[in-house]
Amino acid sequence: MTLRPHFLITATLLIATFIYLNFVTGVHPVPLKRPLSDFPSRIGQWTQISEQMMDTGTLKVLGVDDYFTRTYTRGNGSSISLYVGYFTDQEEGEMTHSPKHCLPGGGWHPIESGTYTISIPDNKRKVTVNKYILSKGDTKQFFTYWYHSRGRVVASEYTDRIYMIFDSIFKKRSDGALVRISSLMFNKGDAMRQHTEFIQALFPHLMDFLPD
């Protein structure tokens, strides 16, 4: 019998997580450089117009230590939603997880997923992020997200978990954040360009808040 690569990856991740949860000790919480409440209301050409708060029950289930969900807009009338959720340390039931697990529902269905690469002008680096498209009738939403953990930008949930295991052992830290951006999608190319421009403006601000 030939084992599929996806099964092997999942099994390896489960074993590594079991080892981490049962045998890794001494992991210490790492605070943000600054609280997320200080995050700027202006990002490049984008200006904050609203902020959404989670109810107590949702926050308890999520287990996040700090977060915000905001809507930004720019002069042409387009708007974009930004979520940043941060964990000072990650443990069972309280860790970043893929938006693919929670976004579908309420009539929304995934129609496309993949990755794309963005050049960050300020520090001359390239980052690979996830794209995820949902539809509900004739309405579509475009999502971009990644895991921002201990100085790394990682698209893959599996890779992020593996790094977390090693960092917990050798660095005694497991802090991490999920960064997610979303907007209505009328044209995929336009949505991707809009997200790219927003992320390029956003990235330097993230460096001021998320630990290296």
Side-chain angles (χ1 to χ4, degrees), residues 71-86:
T71 301
Y72 290 80
T73 189
R74 62 179 177 181
N76 62 4
S78 58
S79 63
I80 206 163
S81 177
L82 169 65
Y83 166 80
V84 180
Y86 181 73

Side-chain angles (χ1 to χ4, degrees), residues 109-124:
H109 303 284
I111 59 172
E112 184 179 332
S113 64
T115 61
Y116 66 106
T117 301
I118 297 173
S119 297
I120 308 299
D122 279 13
N123 56 14
K124 297 180 180 180

Side-chain angles (χ1 to χ4, degrees), residues 40-77:
S41 59
R42 186 170 181 83
I43 299 174
Q45 299 179 350
W46 301 79
T47 302
Q48 179 188 339
I49 56 172
S50 65
E51 183 164 4
Q52 297 76 47
M53 307 301 295
M54 296 183 191
D55 60 70
T56 304
T58 301
L59 279 176
K60 185 176 181 180
V61 171
L62 189 61
V64 70
D65 292 298
D66 200 356
Y67 84 99
F68 70 77
T69 303
R70 296 178 179 177
T71 301
Y72 290 80
T73 189
R74 62 179 177 181
N76 62 4

Side-chain angles (χ1 to χ4, degrees), residues 54-197:
M54 296 183 191
D55 60 70
T56 304
T58 301
L59 279 176
K60 185 176 181 180
V61 171
L62 189 61
V64 70
D65 292 298
D66 200 356
Y67 84 99
F68 70 77
T69 303
R70 296 178 179 177
T71 301
Y72 290 80
T73 189
R74 62 179 177 181
N76 62 4
S78 58
S79 63
I80 206 163
S81 177
L82 169 65
Y83 166 80
V84 180
Y86 181 73
F87 297 82
T88 59
D89 63 334
Q90 299 183 72
E91 56 187 24
E92 186 175 12
E94 296 182 351
M95 58 176 61
T96 57
H97 64 277
S98 172
K100 292 180 180 179
H101 301 325
C102 58
L103 289 175
W108 290 97
H109 303 284
I111 59 172
E112 184 179 332
S113 64
T115 61
Y116 66 106
T117 301
I118 297 173
S119 297
I120 308 299
D122 279 13
N123 56 14
K124 297 180 180 180
R125 70 184 292 189
K126 292 185 177 181
V127 297
T128 299
V129 297
N130 296 287
K131 63 178 177 181
Y132 191 48
I133 302 174
L134 297 178
S135 70
K136 182 178 182 180
D138 294 330
T139 305
K140 294 181 175 65
Q141 283 188 299
F142 188 94
F143 291 85
T144 298
Y145 69 92
W146 68 89
Y147 305 94
H148 206 125
S149 307
R150 302 166 303 282
R152 298 186 188 91
V153 174
V154 178
S156 168
E157 181 182 17
Y158 298 115
T159 302
D160 183 62
R161 289 288 186 269
I162 292 170
Y163 277 133
M164 185 184 73
I165 302 300
F166 281 99
D167 289 344
S168 297
I169 296 171
F170 297 107
K171 297 182 179 181
K172 301 301 180 184
R173 54 184 290 199
S174 63
D175 49 286
L178 173 69
V179 182
R180 187 189 71 212
I181 296 150
S182 63
S183 65
L184 288 175
M185 188 186 87
F186 303 99
N187 175 279
K188 186 171 72 172
D190 290 343
M192 192 176 298
R193 280 190 291 273
Q194 175 176 277
H195 281 223
T196 296
E197 292 170 4

